[in-house]
Every structure is written in C-alpha cells, then in structure tokens.
Amino acid sequence: SQQGEEDPQALSIQEGENATMNCSYKTSINNLQWYRQNSGRGLVHLILIRSNEREKHSGRLRVTLDTSKKSSSLLITASRAADTASYFCATDAETSGSRLTFGEGTQLTVNP
Amino acid sequence: EADIYQTPRYLVIGTGKKITLECSQTMGHDKMYWYQQDPGMELHLIHYSYGVNSTEKGDLSSESTVSRIRTEHFPLTLESARPSHTSQYLCASSEWGLGIRYGYTFGSGTRLTVV
C-alpha cells in the first residue's frame, strides 16, 4: 500500500485563513518532504524535514513531524488565492535507496 | 527556477505508435526519475537512474523503457502505445549525496493521450 496517505483529500477555505494538511506513513524514514502541484503541471519542492527534526518553517509554511506517530502536518498561514493547488507529502524511507514515495495529495482551494 | 525540461508538453497519438518522451536537466544531477500520474491521483515511480548506464524499474510496472547514456538526458520510450498508457508522465532529478538534501526538481510533465 502507499507509504504516504494524506488527509483531508480536499480542503476549501477563505483567503486569510490557515490551511492544515496531514500526512501519515508506514515505515521508518530518513526525511519527509512536501510538494506543491498546480493543475496539470510538475511538482515544486516546498520543504524537507529530517527524521531527527520536529518542526521546520519556511515563510508562511510550517511543517511538523512526529516519528512516533508516523505523521506530519503542513500548515499554510494567511492563505492566498494563489496557494490553490494540490499538496503532496513524500517520504524517503530508510530502505528506499533515496527514492521518494508520494501520498495521494490534498487539493487545496483558497477562495478570494 | 526549474532546470529540467520535458518535451513534448502534450502528445496525442494513435494506438500502436512508438513514442519517446524527452527529459533533460542542466543541473548535473546524478539521480533521475520517471513518475506516472493520472489526473488528481498520486504519483507512481516507473523508472529511475542513479547515473550513466544505470537504470532500474520502479514500484509500478510499466511497459515503457528508459536509457541513460548521458548524465543530462533520460528519455522514456513506449514501443507500441495503447490507450491504457494515457496518463501524465513526470520526470525529476535530484542530487547524489547523504540522502536527499534538497528534494527533487520536476519537469512540467508530458500529458500523453493514446487514441
């Protein structure tokens, strides 16, 4: 089964609100990454958090990692209409040889 | 700014045709990957390469083949396209090193439709 599973599948919010997406995985990891995909395009790397890190920030993004629960969350603060996209978590499992496994993604819609 | 290029961006072809999807990167990355993605769905790894003359099959079985003769070039070929091959194909690359430090860089993808 897929290594990364995301929740919710879809999220619709108003501009200015915060958006939180969650990711769960099954095996031990070296790191976990979040990517963004605009409709029909390639993915863009947002942030990487290592297995020995608990929280990381980048601009309006905050990522947390709980290895005991095998879960991660991505928080986008003060969302904008331009944040509308699909967001994927990807895990670099310890046994993967640095090949990423992607989750199913969360479709975020930010309404103006 | 992404330095990985995929061509064509869109391709509509008839069943039985041979096609090659091109992927080139200018970053000197050793590792390259091909993912297949249906609309609104997750990505599935179909091929990867850790360097010149190195290619491996990914987690999802695919009838396509790949080659890696030059570091910057990682084309994917379908010898005989079928409607079941209709999908988006995404190429990516990453640095070699102690695990993945900076994440993957993706191309814009090729949307393939086989009629």
Side-chain angles (χ1 to χ4, degrees), chain A residues 2 35 37 40 97 99-100, chain B residues 9 35 37 42 48 50 104:
Chain A
Q2 193 67 6
Y35 288 80
Q37 184 181 37
R99 300 188 300 277
L100 292 182
Chain B
R9 181 76 181 89
Y35 283 86
Q37 183 188 31
E42 65 217 82
Y48 62 97
Y50 285 167
Y104 286 9

Side-chain angles (χ1 to χ4, degrees), chain A residues 2 5 11 38-39 47 62 67 69 76 80 85 90 98 105 110:
Chain A
Q2 193 67 6
E5 296 182 1
L11 180 62
N38 286 77
S39 179
I47 196 165
R62 182 173 80 100
T67 53
K69 295 180 179 178
I76 303 174
R80 306 165 181 167
S98 296
V110 182

